[in-house]
Amino acid sequence: MSKRDYYEVLGLSKGASADEIKKAYRTKVKELHPDRNSDNPNAEAQFKEVGEAYDVLKDGDKKAAYDRYGHSAFEGGMGGGGRGPGGMGGQGDFGSAFSDIFDDLFGNMGGGRAGGQNRAQRGNDLRYNLRVTLEDAYAGLAKTITVPTSVGCGSCNGTGAEGGSEPQTCPTCSGMGKVRAQQGFFTVERTCPTCNGMGQTIKDPCHTCHGAGRVEKEKSLSVNIPAGVETGTRIRLAGEGEAGMRGGPTGDLYIFIEVRDHELFEREGNHLFCRVPVSMTTAAMGGDIEVPTIDGGRSRVKIPAGSQSGRQMRLRAKGMPALRGGGPGDMFIEMAVETPVNLTTRQKELLREFEELSVENNPQSSTFFKSVKSFWESMKG
Ligand SMILES: [Zn+2]
Ligand SMILES: [Zn+2]
């Protein structure tokens, strides 16, 4: 059987948004629930297919690769064909969103995450949300974060057994961690109730960790946030997630960056935009203004005579650094010409005089009025 297109599997057309993909996925999973499909022999295979499609399409990078290269993007096993209900890894960020939704819908059946024979279970990945200022995103920063997590138990070296005693193979599931039950056409695997999926029982559990092999603890970590991060940047700290159960491998920690809005600068990719007020006289006659830059400094900008409101000027390389190579972005100044207010009698006099002189020689208005005149004439005809 040739592999079906992932979008087709989810009933979507190419280029569907992340929201559409998630929604379609949830709908499909509900449709294919074993309880509703005891008369559909294909449901289980379809269910797996849907899970595999979602695993790829929910991930921005994988989706991009898939959109470009199709299934061949993942030849070599990355697509994870075997991640059906039974063998769901729940490991790394690859399977976890899938498992989360799966847990929502299937309750304890999702306990399949425990994953059969691997009695040493991998620890969960952790997510840490970090809000930074735009200045920090510009310069990068070193930060110490405190993460509530679990670490390997020192008393039993992570085995969960007290005083050098050995864990025993679970008699209920013979070490599989799962028991099977028939439900319609499906064989449903459930987590073994005796050992909670561990595949082993401990006669004499460690007094410190009560047999889990790990204990809750707050962990302090120094992290380097590189210059150029933006909202949505994800930094992976391998092996800094939760400790595994009974000596299993440690999960990873993902730092999700959110960059706060800035009072002065708006960011678009690596470019920065800044609206700068310019007095009417400077705009008319030209002059220098001083503008702030994201590094905390200032730049002098020459305003050409006769500049209009909305005119943009570019300061090369004064934007944000590029996170992954390449030069920095630029900074764009947008002029906002200010109309003077609270005029004195003398100022009004001068402006009236100015007005009388400028009726004939203001290039902007004369072009405009010429157009208006020809517009009116064309309407008459
Ligand atoms: Zn212990
Ligand atoms: Zn068992």
Side-chain angles (χ1 to χ4, degrees), residues 170-179 192-201:
C170 170
T172 308
C173 61
S174 316
M176 296 297 285
K178 283 186 266 190
V179 287
C192 169
T194 309
C195 62
N196 286 318
M198 302 301 296
Q200 294 181 324
T201 53

Side-chain angles (χ1 to χ4, degrees), residues 7 9 15 26 47 54 70 86 96 110 150 152 165 167 241 247 266 268 307 328 367:
Y7 289 98
V9 167
R26 282 179 176 267
F47 187 89
Y54 183 64
S96 57
S150 47
S165 64
E266 236 172 84
E268 223 182 281
S307 290
T367 320

Side-chain angles (χ1 to χ4, degrees), residues 10-337:
L10 292 176
L12 293 165
S13 47
K14 285 229 187 268
S17 73
D19 272 354
E20 286 167 343
I21 289 167
K22 189 165 184 177
K23 223 169 131 192
Y25 170 71
R26 282 179 176 267
T27 311
K28 285 277 176 201
V29 164
K30 279 184 198 147
E31 272 173 28
L32 295 168
H33 191 288
D35 288 349
R36 292 196 197 169
N37 287 274
S38 47
D39 54 348
N40 176 4
N42 297 322
E44 191 173 358
Q46 285 167 4
F47 187 89
K48 281 184 182 165
E49 200 183 16
V50 163
E52 185 187 328
Y54 183 64
D55 259 352
V56 169
L57 296 183
K58 75 174 180 194
D59 180 297
D61 293 341
K62 291 191 191 107
K63 179 173 182 290
Y66 179 74
D67 288 347
R68 244 180 117 178
Y69 305 110
H71 290 299
S72 60
F74 309 111
E75 274 160 15
M78 192 177 165
R83 283 177 193 270
M88 205 147 40
Q91 298 196 350
D93 67 330
F94 189 45
S96 57
F98 181 47
S99 338
D100 289 347
I101 293 177
F102 191 75
D103 284 348
D104 286 357
L105 293 167
F106 289 77
N108 68 349
M109 203 179 130
R113 279 175 81 141
Q117 286 109 320
N118 52 337
R119 43 195 63 121
Q121 222 177 93
R122 183 181 184 275
N124 287 323
D125 292 335
L126 295 175
R127 171 181 178 148
Y128 186 94
N129 295 331
L130 183 64
R131 291 187 84 198
V132 300
T133 61
L134 189 63
E135 291 91 326
D136 286 340
Y138 170 81
L141 80 158
K143 197 170 166 62
T144 304
I145 60 172
T146 309
V147 191
T149 183
S150 47
V151 297
C153 172
S155 309
C156 60
N157 287 324
T159 63
E162 182 73 20
S165 64
E166 290 280 312
Q168 311 289 309
T169 300
C170 170
T172 308
C173 61
S174 316
M176 296 297 285
K178 283 186 266 190
V179 287
R180 286 163 179 269
Q182 195 73 23
Q183 187 177 329
F185 281 94
F186 289 87
T187 304
V188 179
E189 283 184 336
R190 292 184 191 283
T191 305
C192 169
T194 309
C195 62
N196 286 318
M198 302 301 296
Q200 294 181 324
T201 53
I202 293 176
K203 254 208 190 103
D204 190 8
C206 165
H207 286 97
T208 310
C209 64
H210 309 291
R214 58 181 185 180
V215 288
E216 303 298 313
K217 205 184 161 188
E218 293 219 313
K219 191 155 73 168
S220 275
L221 287 171
S222 313
V223 293
N224 278 312
I225 309 298
V229 291
E230 56 194 324
T231 297
T233 301
R234 209 170 57 171
I235 297 164
R236 175 169 170 261
L237 300 179
E240 297 290 1
E242 280 192 351
M245 286 286 269
R246 296 190 195 158
T250 313
D252 299 331
L253 173 70
Y254 289 90
I255 296 177
F256 282 66
I257 300 287
E258 185 194 338
V259 180
R260 287 192 200 132
D261 287 341
H262 197 278
E263 232 180 312
L264 294 173
F265 302 103
E266 236 172 84
R267 180 179 187 173
E268 223 182 281
N270 292 334
H271 295 318
L272 291 176
F273 293 81
C274 181
R275 236 173 108 83
V276 181
V278 176
S279 73
M280 187 183 76
T281 47
T282 306
M285 297 186 289
D288 277 5
I289 58 165
E290 204 168 60
V291 297
T293 48
I294 186 64
D295 58 4
R298 49 192 78 190
S299 276
R300 291 203 79 77
V301 177
K302 210 168 206 37
I303 304 293
S307 290
Q308 305 295 334
S309 218
R311 179 171 194 156
Q312 270 196 354
M313 272 166 302
R314 178 197 291 246
L315 297 180
R316 296 223 177 253
K318 291 283 186 189
M320 300 294 284
L323 185 59
R324 289 183 188 86
D330 301 328
M331 174 166 153
F332 292 86
I333 311 288
E334 189 186 312
M335 288 175 47
V337 178

